[in-house]
Amino acid sequence: MTYRVCFVCTGNICRSPMAEYVFRARVAEAGLEEHVEIDSAGTGGWHEGEPADPRTVAVLHDHGYDCDHIARQFQPSWFARLDLVIALDAGHLRALRRLAPTEADARKIRLLRTYAQHEPPADGDDLDVPDPYYGGPDGFEECLEMVEEASTGLLAAVREHLEGRAA
């Protein structure tokens, strides 16, 4: 059985493709690529059909990740086939919850950085991955660091879920 994860940011050209390709690499390293399907989308369709931001691609390539990405907009109908929908910031989380057709679908939505926490996050903790789009290269590097840190915890959670399905 395949476990399906979708990362979501605003335009699907910076943060969510970065998370998608970092997580793809983690899943492949763990030997789980046959069991986990990963993609990404944006809450809006502004960049639909466009490649990832060149700065995203450059940072990913500089750190050894592939990136062959075309932006698309998240559709509410996708909830039915997804197991986990990962929001990159609180605004995306709210937008996705509004799109969720059912309470069960809304429960599939999580903030990425909750997986970087060793303890449950306290109320008011800033768990957003900041949008690097309007900044310089340092913002893309910071985004990558946050994504990499959270990917370790996310992989552990997905692996645990897969093992639970097999039992």
Side-chain angles (χ1 to χ4, degrees), residues 8-153:
V8 180
C9 71
T10 306
N12 192 219
I13 60 169
C14 295
R15 293 173 283 179
S16 58
M18 191 176 288
E20 174 186 350
Y21 284 89
V22 167
F23 195 60
R24 279 182 191 276
R26 294 295 179 272
V27 165
E29 290 165 4
L32 297 173
E33 62 267 24
E34 291 181 21
H35 305 287
V36 183
E37 182 181 296
I38 306 150
D39 59 18
S40 64
T43 57
W46 306 280
H47 298 286
E48 204 163 20
E50 296 176 15
D53 186 294
R55 298 166 295 178
T56 296
V57 175
V59 167
L60 285 169
H61 284 164
D62 288 350
H63 291 271
Y65 299 102
D66 291 328
C67 183
D68 181 24
H69 176 76
I70 299 297
R72 60 197 189 133
Q73 184 175 0
F74 188 88
Q75 301 299 317
S77 62
W78 297 356
F79 277 107
R81 67 174 176 80
L82 293 169
D83 296 290
L84 193 56
V85 180
I86 303 292
L88 277 288
D89 72 25
H92 308 134
L93 183 76
R94 287 188 298 275
L96 288 163
R97 285 185 176 154
R98 284 191 301 270
L99 290 175
T102 68
E103 272 303 310
D105 292 326
R107 287 191 296 274
K108 297 176 182 180
I109 307 165
R110 299 279 186 278
L111 273 171
L112 176 65
R113 289 196 58 220
T114 59
Y115 293 98
Q117 304 291 318
H118 296 290
E119 297 179 21
D123 287 341
D125 278 358
D126 183 5
L127 296 176
D128 290 354
V129 175
D131 188 352
Y133 186 76
Y134 294 104
D138 290 348
F140 286 83
E141 290 286 343
E142 177 186 20
C143 180
L144 179 63
E145 287 174 23
M146 291 179 175
V147 165
E148 286 179 327
E149 179 186 11
S151 290
T152 302

